[in-house]
Amino acid sequence: MAQRFLLGARHSQKEQKERAPALPRELRDAVAVRGDMFSPAYRSSQVKAGFSLKETIRRLRREGQDLAPPYYDLGVAFWLLLPGARSYAPEAVFRRFLEGRAWEGSAANIYDALAVSARELARQGLTSVFRDIEMQVLPILAAMELRGIAVDTAALSSLERSLRKELAQLEQSIYREAGMRFNINSPSQLSEVLFQKLGIRQRGKSAKKTPGGMRSTRAAVLEELRDEHPLIPLLLHYRESFKVYSTYVRGLQNFVGEDGRIHTEFVQTGTATGRLSSRRPNLQNIPSTSRWGKEIRAAFVAAPGYSLLSFDYSQIELRILAFLSGDARLREAFLQGKDIHAVTAAKIFQVDPSRVTPEMRRMAKVLNFGMNYGMGATSFARESGLSRGEAQEFIEAYFREFPQVRQWQEKVLQEARAKGYVPTNTGRKRPLPGLRSLSPRAAAEAERAALNYPIQGLAADIAKLAMIRTSQKLRARGVWEKKAFLLLAIHDELLFEVADDIIGEVAPLIAAEMERVFPLGEIPLVVTVAKGKRWGALEKVHFPRGTR
DNA sequence: ATTGTAAGCCAC
DNA sequence: AAACGTGGCTTACAAT
Ligand SMILES: Nc1nc2c(ncn2[C@H]2C[C@H](O)[C@@H](COP(=O)(O)OP(=O)(O)OP(=O)(O)O)O2)c(=O)[nH]1
Ligand SMILES: [Mn+2]
Ligand SMILES: [Mn+2]
């Protein structure tokens, strides 16, 4: 299937010429941008074409210069044509899409890649997503990376001391219970200690193996063995603390810059669905739930005189599912302002919806999305604590309640099998060659990805539109990158740093803009707002009626 | 010393 | 570990 997206290789030069429509004038007149150079043309209104334009923009802005829009980023262009590849670096792109031509870093190379990608984007109906979404987001990401987010390093150091102490004690307790010293961080050594030396086994259950044939020691397995040996709860505790220590406390400290801020990199070509990813460090997976998690988040702070403002779409993918499937009852639930995550939590935990805790609701999220994207009864049972039979019945009841969701899924799969790819409402598409795999496992895996893609992909576009529109609004007010800074995009959440004296003005503005970026028919997009001096201690903001 | 893979786990 | 999906990071361990 990937062949369909390979360009040029199958055609002779002559055929190419006959088929290739002329490039629009603005692209023929594009300026080739090489990352290590500067040209007065960078200030012109011509299209700037090149690889890694975000990095070029960052470099130029650091040097007091800039790269004027409009942009044409070649890596992003080829990513839209074939999302999910490992690399969109020039060498990889030329190898895959411009066979026969090698990347030499020349302007001619850039024009070649521009011509090939632009024609194919147009042919596949991707021009609008590319130009109106991706190329608008690009300079916003550059600004976010340059700004960074402030970190309370003293808080992190204090956390490091606490965790060191706790880990040292846990380590000793674990050695004592095991009757020997070993590397707790080595799953193979731990597996041997647990299942050979101590002979721990779950009565009447088969051994859980990793793909490598080892007996698994992951948390889900240890959780089931919790009562079988006093070592197990110690290990679970150790695992959680060590994760926080190694990845978040020690790891993050290494990324704090001279300016006291962490500057993540947002990868625009990092996912197959249109989401962004974040790396070096990843600031999209900072812990949020556990006790340690809260403390880690509390180490991310606003600059003096500023506050952090968080805007998160409520139940975003469930609303999109209601919109796409048209399911009458799911739509009705959202028209009535229902919180489906809370409803599911209330059913699972058998409490009144008003008494659902944040932890219960987070668990319900996993179950709700799990059901919609193909989770089995066994996994549902483990996640929920229900028996396998109860889990099976719960899933069936869910699809009885929302029958049009199933119908929509069947339709998505049919079209996906016929076309070999899945589209989103914005025109983005993802090829899924696995759908035609002869391996039932691989085919089933591709089917689940196909069910997820139209929803996660549209959610990604909504979040990107939110970045674009809110930045435009703030720019019109004269505060963008002056008194209001976008710091992070966490999938369906935008985290701003805003001067205290304009919070009352811009918070309703941002929320209102986010709620209008993509109307889902009658289904409202709802944004939850929270603010505070520390990310780990935000308080919900309520707007008076009619202010947005 | 560097690179790649497996296992595991954090977030959305 | 299992019929949720999308990611990135750390450690251990083997291969280079
Ligand atoms: N497949 C899957 N998708 C998830 C999972 N967790 C989050 N997502 C996706 C779907 C969510 O709508 C989206 C945003 O995550 P959030 O944590 O903001 O949850 P959501 O918006 O649904 O609820 P909220 O009202 O914000 O608490 O990310 C998950 O466990 N599985
Ligand atoms: Mn949300
Ligand atoms: Mn969110």
Side-chain angles (χ1 to χ4, degrees), chain A residues 311-317 341 361 365 490 492-493 526 528:
Chain A
F311 301 83
D312 188 301
Y313 283 107
S314 157
Q315 312 175 72
I316 180 71
E317 289 189 16
H341 293 323
R361 190 169 176 279
K365 266 187 209 179
I490 309 170
D492 74 329
E493 173 186 4
V526 173
T528 304

Side-chain angles (χ1 to χ4, degrees), chain A residues 294-360:
Chain A
K294 284 264 183 306
E295 298 200 43
I296 299 280
R297 282 205 176 198
F300 290 84
V301 298
Y306 282 75
S307 290
L308 297 176
L309 278 177
S310 160
F311 301 83
D312 188 301
Y313 283 107
S314 157
Q315 312 175 72
I316 180 71
E317 289 189 16
L318 287 181
R319 291 176 196 270
I320 291 171
L321 175 65
F323 170 63
L324 292 178
S325 71
D327 185 273
R329 302 199 47 187
L330 198 52
R331 293 182 69 236
E332 185 58 26
F334 283 119
L335 293 180
Q336 291 174 9
K338 287 239 169 71
D339 181 341
I340 307 284
H341 293 323
V343 168
T344 296
K347 285 181 187 160
I348 295 288
F349 293 97
Q350 313 238 7
V351 300
D352 191 84
S354 65
R355 297 192 45 180
V356 169
T357 66
E359 294 72 32
M360 291 158 71

Side-chain angles (χ1 to χ4, degrees), chain A residues 248-420:
Chain A
Y248 298 106
V249 176
R250 227 188 37 202
L252 285 178
Q253 280 171 322
N254 295 328
F255 285 100
V256 179
E258 298 288 332
D259 55 357
R261 302 176 76 98
I262 291 180
H263 302 262
T264 185
E265 176 189 354
F266 289 101
V267 184
Q268 205 171 348
T269 58
T271 71
T273 58
R275 276 186 173 189
L276 300 168
S277 71
S278 158
R279 70 183 179 195
R280 296 173 204 166
N282 182 356
L283 293 185
Q284 292 178 324
N285 74 340
I286 301 303
S288 62
T289 50
S290 71
R291 172 189 143 226
W292 292 118
K294 284 264 183 306
E295 298 200 43
I296 299 280
R297 282 205 176 198
F300 290 84
V301 298
Y306 282 75
S307 290
L308 297 176
L309 278 177
S310 160
F311 301 83
D312 188 301
Y313 283 107
S314 157
Q315 312 175 72
I316 180 71
E317 289 189 16
L318 287 181
R319 291 176 196 270
I320 291 171
L321 175 65
F323 170 63
L324 292 178
S325 71
D327 185 273
R329 302 199 47 187
L330 198 52
R331 293 182 69 236
E332 185 58 26
F334 283 119
L335 293 180
Q336 291 174 9
K338 287 239 169 71
D339 181 341
I340 307 284
H341 293 323
V343 168
T344 296
K347 285 181 187 160
I348 295 288
F349 293 97
Q350 313 238 7
V351 300
D352 191 84
S354 65
R355 297 192 45 180
V356 169
T357 66
E359 294 72 32
M360 291 158 71
R361 190 169 176 279
R362 172 59 226 176
M363 191 179 281
K365 266 187 209 179
V366 172
L367 301 173
N368 279 334
F369 294 121
M371 281 189 287
N372 286 315
Y373 302 134
M375 183 184 272
T378 311
S379 299
F380 191 100
R382 177 182 62 76
E383 293 286 350
S384 62
L386 299 185
S387 73
R388 209 201 119 125
E390 290 168 332
Q392 181 71 47
E393 172 53 27
F394 197 99
I395 295 171
E396 285 168 9
Y398 174 87
F399 286 105
R400 274 201 303 273
E401 187 173 0
F402 307 116
Q404 287 164 285
V405 169
R406 263 275 186 263
Q407 291 172 22
W408 174 79
Q409 292 183 334
E410 293 304 332
K411 182 174 71 78
V412 167
L413 290 182
Q414 266 189 15
E415 288 181 15
R417 286 191 205 101
K419 298 196 161 108

Side-chain angles (χ1 to χ4, degrees), chain A residues 38-58:
Chain A
F38 180 77
S39 153
Y42 289 0
R43 282 193 276 264
S44 78
S45 61
Q46 290 158 287
V47 169
K48 314 302 182 304
F51 284 94
S52 307
L53 291 186
K54 172 160 62 65
E55 282 59 46
T56 303
I57 291 171
R58 245 174 32 216

Side-chain angles (χ1 to χ4, degrees), chain A residues 60-245:
Chain A
L60 289 168
R61 285 186 189 169
R62 265 200 305 267
E63 295 167 358
Q65 312 267 2
D66 208 344
L67 187 70
Y71 306 114
Y72 192 108
D73 188 285
L74 294 164
V76 174
F78 285 104
W79 166 70
L80 277 180
L81 292 174
L82 191 67
R86 225 183 35 253
S87 167
Y88 296 91
E91 297 79 6
V93 163
F94 270 68
R95 223 176 297 125
R96 179 132 204 186
F97 295 94
L98 292 108
E99 286 173 23
R101 283 165 276 190
W103 169 253
E104 303 160 337
S106 65
N109 278 166
I110 290 174
Y111 290 122
D112 274 355
L114 169 62
V116 168
S117 60
R119 273 188 208 114
E120 194 60 16
L121 286 174
R123 194 181 72 75
Q124 297 195 34
L126 288 164
T127 302
S128 155
V129 179
F130 178 72
R131 188 191 52 215
D132 302 335
I133 298 183
E134 298 302 342
M135 290 306 99
Q136 305 304 313
V137 163
L138 188 144
I140 298 174
L141 296 176
M144 294 163 69
E145 293 175 1
L146 281 171
R147 174 73 177 180
I149 182 168
V151 170
D152 179 349
T153 51
L156 277 187
S157 300
S158 153
L159 212 48
E160 179 171 13
R161 282 191 297 277
S162 312
L163 276 162
R164 273 226 170 93
K165 191 172 160 204
E166 177 172 300
L167 283 165
Q169 288 174 357
L170 280 168
E171 207 178 321
Q172 293 312 312
S173 307
I174 287 168
Y175 295 151
R176 179 155 27 79
E177 289 297 343
M180 65 182 286
R181 297 174 63 92
F182 62 103
N183 187 343
I184 307 167
N185 294 322
S186 163
S188 73
Q189 290 186 38
L190 178 59
S191 181
E192 188 178 326
V193 169
L194 289 179
F195 303 117
Q196 307 288 317
K197 178 164 186 300
L198 299 180
I200 296 172
R201 47 184 31 82
Q202 180 80 310
R203 295 161 302 238
K205 300 234 174 144
S206 65
K208 320 301 192 294
K209 296 282 187 53
T210 67
M214 205 174 84
R215 290 206 50 178
S216 172
T217 68
R218 50 189 286 183
V221 171
L222 296 186
E223 208 62 68
E224 287 208 347
L225 301 172
R226 193 181 258 285
D227 300 329
E228 302 293 319
H229 196 283
L231 182 58
I232 306 289
L234 291 172
L235 286 170
L236 286 163
H237 191 168
Y238 175 91
R239 280 260 177 88
E240 184 182 345
S241 298
F242 190 83
K243 174 83 175 179
V244 172
Y245 170 76

